[in-house]
Amino acid sequence: MIAFVAVAWIAFVNIVTLWRFREDKRRAVDGLRRIPEADLLRWALLGGTPAAYAARRMYRHKTRKQPFGLRLDLIAMMQAGVTLGLGFAFLL
């Protein structure tokens, strides 16, 4: 049951993250008010990092913004570390 909830959460967060990046790109092209970077990074932090990286490539969005890219990389490294740590903890 816990595994199902975890997979459902990750799927939901990644779908929302992809949608938020797409929406921000559309707003940028249309000259409308943008979605704050903090909001995009928050969705990545909640588990949407794979979708954030995919959206950057798909929409060619936020690819040259260095503070944003660095923060996204730090979130990904932190998530990888937590995942590895939990994996090793359950193996012991």
Side-chain angles (χ1 to χ4, degrees):
M1 179 64 177
I2 293 174
F4 173 76
V5 171
V7 169
W9 172 257
I10 295 297
F12 169 74
V13 169
N14 277 275
I15 289 167
V16 171
T17 302
L18 192 65
W19 175 74
R20 296 295 284 172
F21 271 79
R22 188 192 73 195
E23 181 66 15
D24 188 48
K25 178 65 175 188
R26 185 191 64 78
R27 290 180 185 190
V29 170
D30 293 345
L32 300 173
R33 187 173 178 169
R34 305 282 301 277
I35 295 172
E37 287 184 357
D39 185 52
L40 299 174
L41 290 169
R42 188 174 306 113
W43 282 103
L45 183 63
L46 290 172
T49 305
Y53 280 113
R56 289 178 79 197
R57 289 188 65 113
M58 288 170 49
Y59 305 121
R60 294 189 187 117
H61 190 51
K62 301 278 186 196
T63 56
R64 291 189 281 171
K65 295 260 321 195
Q66 202 40 248
F68 183 86
L70 177 62
R71 290 178 183 138
L72 184 59
D73 291 343
L74 290 173
I75 289 170
M77 286 187 270
M78 181 194 68
Q79 289 172 338
V82 168
T83 302
L84 287 172
L86 288 173
F88 283 125
F90 283 110
L91 286 175
L92 300 177

